[in-house]
Amino acid sequence: MADRTPILAANWKMNKTIEETERFLAEFLPKVPDSGPEVVICPPFLSLKTAVEHCMQSHARVAAQNMHEQPDGAYTGEVSAPMLQELGVDGVILGHSERRQYFNESDDALARKVLVALDAGLEPILCVGESLTQRESGETEALLTRQVAADLAGVPDNRLAGVVIAYEPIWAIGTGRTATTEQAEEAIALIRGLIESRSAEAAAAIRILYGGSVKPENAEELVSQPDVDGALVGGASLDPEDFAAIVAAA
Ligand code: PEP
């Protein structure tokens, strides 16, 4: 890996109450090394405040799993960037495939959300990735090219390095079916090439993660690929021991 600090991010999805969050962090945080990879916990909205308070004295940071692009207004059930800022949250996952699939998250909205997050000082973790059908019909490159172009359309070249991209093949999420190290490296190198066509400097600096059934057993091999700068972890991040083992592997 080049000079980029790896990131291990835990996407808890709709899991863990506040009490469960406290229990997880009490066990997990003492295992987080004071230096080394960046560790990011992404709990549900209701646990963000608790997570921020617990992580404050540690090397771990906290990110949300989504946010609305408007600062306020009549958007029932939504949460805005200023609300996340007020809690002391450091970042936000944007465009997770589950949000694209179940909540009709569009590339247009994502392009706006990425900019709003950057302007608010929240590090966006932008998820991109193809479905199994798209991979099998040879559309992976076209899909990734389209998503990266559309979702980062509004970000000036000199701010691209402030975005984190997570390559998450949909067929590998929660399925136990991990991309091979070659598949992960190939897709992530492709994404880095897309960034390079806009700015060589940004391409060298931007962190691009792999996500999709990362486990303690496969984390080291995946993260050791030259273009893979860490992992976005779903299922295995729910267990403090497993996630600590993944952090240690990186
Ligand atoms: C995810 O939801 O971002 C993810 C990668 O999930 P899992 O690790 O469970 O495949």
Side-chain angles (χ1 to χ4, degrees), residues 11 13 96 98 168 172-174 211-214 232-235:
N11 176 17
K13 313 190 185 195
H96 190 280
E98 286 152 16
E168 298 212 308
I173 296 179
S213 297
V214 174
L232 180 55
V233 186

Side-chain angles (χ1 to χ4, degrees), residues 126-129 144-145 147-148 152 165-168 184-197 203 206-209 227:
L126 172 70
C127 301
V128 296
L144 292 177
T145 304
Q147 285 184 331
V148 170
L152 298 177
I165 299 177
Y167 166 62
E168 298 212 308
E185 171 61 21
E186 188 185 24
I188 290 177
L190 169 84
I191 294 169
R192 199 175 300 286
L194 296 170
I195 301 298
E196 193 168 13
S197 65
I206 194 167
R207 270 98 53 93
I208 310 179
L209 318 181
D227 281 291

Side-chain angles (χ1 to χ4, degrees), residues 27-105:
E27 190 176 337
F28 172 73
L29 289 179
K31 302 182 201 290
V32 177
D34 287 338
S35 58
E38 285 177 27
V39 175
V40 184
I41 305 290
C42 312
F45 286 130
L46 289 177
S47 291
L48 283 171
K49 188 167 189 280
T50 303
V52 167
E53 286 166 2
H54 280 68
C55 290
M56 217 167 269
Q57 304 303 327
S58 81
H59 187 59
R61 298 184 291 128
V62 178
Q65 298 174 15
N66 178 40
M67 109 199 153
H68 196 273
E69 70 211 57
Q70 294 297 331
D72 50 40
Y75 302 100
T76 303
E78 292 289 323
V79 165
S80 71
M83 295 171 185
L84 297 177
Q85 273 178 305
E86 186 186 37
L87 288 182
V89 164
D90 287 301
V92 58
I93 298 175
L94 294 174
H96 190 280
S97 60
E98 286 152 16
R99 294 217 52 91
R100 292 181 191 256
Q101 185 182 350
Y102 304 133
F103 303 98
N104 300 319
E105 189 100 276

